[in-house]
Amino acid sequence: MLFFFITIAAVLVLLLLEVPVGFAFGIGALLYGFLSGTDISFHAGFGYSQISAFSLLALPLFVLAGTLMGTAGISERLLNFVNAFVGRTKGGLGAVTVLTCAMFGAISGSASAAIAAIGKIMVPRMIKEGYPPGHATALVAVSSVLALMIPPSIPMIVFAIAIRESVAKAFLATMSPGIMLALVYCALNFIFLRKNKTITVQPKISTGAMIEEVSRTGKEASLAIIMPVIILGGIYSGIATPTEAGAVALVYTLVVGLFIYRGMNFKDLYSSTIDAARLTGAVMMVLFFLFIMSRGMILAQVPNQFADMLLSISDNKIVLLLLINLLLLIMGMIIDDVSGGVLAAIILLPVIQKIGVDPIHFAAIVGTNLGLGNVSPPCAPLLYMAGGVTKMELSEYIGPTMKFLLLGHLPMVLIVTFVPELSLFLPGLLD
């Protein structure tokens, strides 16, 4: 156990020193091998076999599809469609942002893609209509997490592989919490803005004109709207695996973006492919070293020893679940959701098995917690990305962000943790 804590401490220090995540875990794997006296090449084959899994091929496919959507015109058409419903009410553009991030997640499974695609369009539009800039940026940051919770979710693909559970069930575990969180964020957005007098609202239109606008924008966005139906319908009908659905998503995006919407050209395709390849390569590097570390730790019985240590603190299931939530929140604050998911699977799976928590319920706990951590300081990769897209200082939007998290996301974490039926109902339909 001592070697485990030294290794984790070393990785955390490297991350806080802004060493790239892949290199930090690579050094951690080497350090653990050195301390434990194990030849790391002994575990390299296991790491390679894990990242070569067919299910993991879905990751680059969804990453590239999500990267292309921002330039394909898909996100803008989704925004216009949602705006036709709620855009003419005070705070309506904020609700449009939240709901479009949720819909975008049902297509791409990538929070960073949601920030890039939705944030660049909606934040300037909200500021132009009188929204406080900090509120607009915070709303994009916290709503981007919905793309990690609404299936298909890239972190859930990796997590399901790590715990050897059904990817389809892991997808569904975070779906109900994701939908509920989207509604909570919409409600909080309206509450926070109810006394704001700077917001300008588009003039009301007749019911007939609204129906016409919804029909027009719906027709324009129809190809984008039916995309998640095709992807998720293929997975849950048994026609396609998540990997095959990722391939369908990519081909569909290419056809729609290049030849129907014509929102991108071959130059955009090239640059997006390069960006997606870099991101995929970075994730695969992290996963490779994480799987190597996990192999060494499992053989040394570290996860079981860690489980026994937690169980020695308390045998109360509620206390242990709160401790697990705290650990997951800290993980999410420091590392990305994909890495955090694998690390959680390695360290915490034996604990949840011993206290009788369903692994699919654990998937929902992990997904919801890491999403909260990814927009919570100090590291908060999604929070800083939102500020980078909107070119704002953290001090301008940290206050509104914390209000959304404390009143919205944190209560949802507790609900997911202590009301397992919320996460298990939809996966249970697949049995």
Side-chain angles (χ1 to χ4, degrees):
M1 280 292 287
L2 177 62
F3 298 155
F4 164 73
F5 284 118
I6 292 173
T7 301
I8 295 299
V11 170
L12 293 180
V13 169
L14 291 170
L15 290 171
L16 292 173
L17 292 174
E18 298 187 359
V19 174
V21 178
F23 292 115
F25 279 109
I27 293 170
L30 291 170
L31 177 62
Y32 185 80
F34 173 76
L35 292 173
S36 62
T38 305
D39 185 355
I40 195 171
S41 64
F42 175 71
H43 303 303
F46 175 78
Y48 179 76
S49 68
Q50 290 294 98
I51 65 170
S52 301
F54 177 73
S55 299
L56 204 55
L57 186 58
L59 191 150
L61 295 171
F62 279 118
V63 167
L64 180 54
T67 305
L68 291 172
M69 285 171 198
T71 54
I74 290 175
S75 54
E76 191 164 358
R77 283 170 171 80
L78 286 175
L79 284 167
N80 292 336
F81 176 61
V82 178
N83 188 63
F85 286 95
V86 292
R88 295 180 183 274
T89 58
K90 186 175 182 179
L93 277 183
V96 170
T97 301
V98 174
L99 296 175
T100 308
C101 280
M103 294 177 69
F104 198 81
I107 300 173
S108 70
S110 169
S112 56
I115 290 176
I118 309 302
K120 287 180 181 177
I121 300 171
M122 287 307 297
V123 172
R125 190 184 295 185
M126 284 191 280
I127 293 174
K128 184 179 179 181
E129 296 200 8
Y131 283 66
H135 177 94
T137 303
L139 194 58
V140 169
V142 299
S143 299
S144 69
V145 175
L146 298 172
L148 303 176
M149 300 175 69
I150 307 291
S153 165
I154 291 172
M156 283 297 101
I157 293 173
V158 178
F159 183 79
I161 292 170
I163 65 171
R164 291 178 170 80
E165 287 286 344
S166 163
V167 173
K169 286 186 176 183
F171 277 171
L172 288 180
T174 55
M175 187 170 184
S176 295
I179 293 171
M180 288 181 61
L181 186 59
L183 297 176
V184 168
Y185 278 153
C186 286
L188 289 175
N189 167 70
F190 286 119
I191 292 169
F192 294 159
L193 298 176
R194 69 188 186 282
K195 295 182 180 179
N196 190 296
K197 297 180 180 178
T198 64
I199 295 175
T200 58
V201 183
Q202 299 175 39
K204 298 286 185 180
I205 58 177
S206 66
T207 303
M210 181 179 175
I211 293 173
E212 184 180 341
E213 184 179 358
V214 169
S215 176
R216 176 182 57 80
T217 56
K219 183 178 179 180
E220 291 173 354
S222 59
L223 292 175
I225 294 169
I226 65 172
M227 188 173 177
V229 177
I230 294 172
I231 295 170
L232 299 179
I235 293 173
Y236 295 113
S237 67
I239 295 173
T241 65
T243 300
E244 291 164 347
V248 171
L250 178 56
V251 172
Y252 189 94
T253 304
L254 287 171
V255 172
V256 171
L258 285 171
F259 304 112
I260 300 177
Y261 287 168
R262 297 184 180 180
M264 66 177 177
N265 51 38
F266 286 100
K267 183 179 179 181
D268 296 325
L269 174 60
Y270 175 78
S271 60
S272 295
T273 303
I274 295 298
D275 290 341
R278 286 174 178 160
L279 177 58
T280 302
V283 171
M284 287 296 189
M285 181 178 177
V286 171
L287 293 178
F288 176 69
F289 287 120
L290 272 171
F291 284 130
I292 287 177
M293 282 177 60
S294 74
R295 182 69 166 178
M297 290 176 182
I298 290 169
L299 290 177
Q301 297 293 308
V302 168
N304 287 323
Q305 292 173 34
F306 188 79
D308 292 337
M309 186 189 75
L310 284 183
L311 290 168
S312 69
I313 296 173
S314 173
D315 58 358
N316 187 301
K317 186 175 179 179
I318 294 175
V319 173
L320 289 170
L321 284 172
L322 289 173
L323 282 173
I324 288 170
N325 275 295
L326 180 61
L327 287 171
L328 288 171
L329 177 60
I330 294 170
M331 282 184 196
M333 287 179 176
I334 298 171
I335 55 179
D336 64 275
D337 48 350
V338 174
S339 309
V342 177
L343 203 56
I346 298 167
I347 300 171
L348 297 175
L349 187 60
V351 184
I352 67 106
Q353 288 173 333
K354 289 186 178 183
I355 63 175
V357 175
D358 189 288
I360 297 301
H361 178 208
F362 183 50
I365 294 173
V366 170
T368 312
N369 256 293
L370 293 179
L372 174 60
N374 277 186
V375 283
S376 300
C379 292
L382 296 179
L383 186 63
Y384 292 124
M385 182 179 178
V389 168
T390 59
K391 294 180 172 58
M392 286 186 192
E393 295 294 328
L394 180 63
S395 58
E396 295 182 67
Y397 59 92
I398 186 62
T401 299
M402 294 311 296
K403 287 198 293 183
F404 277 115
L405 297 181
L406 293 175
L407 296 176
H409 205 132
L410 183 59
M412 186 56 60
V413 166
L414 297 175
I415 291 171
V416 168
T417 301
F418 296 109
V419 186
E421 294 79 10
L422 178 65
S423 307
L424 295 176
F425 173 71
L426 290 177
L429 298 177
L430 299 181
D431 292 332

